[in-house]
Amino acid sequence: MSENKEIIAVKALNNNSIDEILRRENNVIPSTDIYENSDEYILVAKLPGVSRSQIQVKVIDESLIVFGKINYHELVSREYILNESEIGNYFRKFKISDSIDKTKISAKYDNGELIINLPKSEAAKPRIIDIS
């Protein structure tokens, strides 16, 4: 991208909602791992270069939305010798079912990884049936 286009992109990112940014900007799908245990699903999304304050996790209806806004100005001002990384905001949308208790979803961010805990609803947890 040209330098002028990048400067415009930085200015456009100031104070815009996720929806507005998604319509205009290049988005990168973050690498994601999902695993489960008996109580919850754990989603781990890699968001390198994103500060905690620039991450949003939303639950809207049956969707879990992950968004991480990068600092375009910092990335384009570097004098790269080699750049294999895609440049763009991170965005991923997951469909979640009623087997997840949406009121108990939690998230933390550590060392470039966003970890989202998706607790299983009581109805979705395995249970042992007593035999009489």
Side-chain angles (χ1 to χ4, degrees):
M1 290 184 169
S2 72
E3 185 175 329
N4 290 336
K5 191 170 184 182
E6 290 303 332
I7 292 169
I8 292 167
V10 172
K11 289 178 183 175
L13 287 173
N14 295 334
N15 300 317
N16 285 320
S17 70
I18 289 177
D19 294 333
E20 291 175 37
I21 293 169
L22 292 177
R23 280 193 291 274
R24 284 197 306 264
E25 301 299 327
N26 178 43
N27 295 297
V28 175
I29 298 172
S31 299
T32 304
D33 299 323
I34 301 173
Y35 58 96
E36 73 175 302
N37 59 37
S38 60
D39 295 325
E40 65 185 350
Y41 299 97
I42 298 99
L43 184 150
V44 181
K46 282 80 172 172
L47 305 173
V50 178
S51 67
R52 178 180 279 114
S53 65
Q54 297 301 310
I55 298 172
Q56 290 185 15
V57 178
K58 290 184 175 185
V59 175
I60 302 172
D61 298 323
E62 285 79 39
S63 296
L64 174 73
I65 299 168
V66 174
F67 179 76
K69 188 168 81 171
I70 62 164
N71 183 338
Y72 276 103
H73 182 65
E74 179 185 329
L75 292 175
V76 298
S77 66
R78 295 177 181 165
E79 292 184 28
Y80 289 98
I81 295 170
L82 173 67
N83 179 12
E84 294 182 338
S85 301
E86 289 185 71
I87 295 179
N89 295 312
Y90 293 98
F91 175 76
R92 190 98 187 242
K93 185 176 180 179
F94 300 90
K95 183 174 172 82
I96 55 176
S97 70
D98 292 334
S99 66
I100 294 172
D101 185 343
K102 295 174 189 150
T103 64
K104 295 183 181 176
I105 295 172
S106 63
K108 65 181 177 179
Y109 187 64
D110 186 35
N111 204 22
E113 290 188 338
L114 175 65
I115 302 162
I116 303 173
N117 298 85
L118 303 155
K120 294 179 181 177
S121 65
E122 289 302 315
K125 289 182 184 177
R127 60 186 184 112
I128 298 173
I129 309 296
D130 290 330
I131 301 172
S132 54

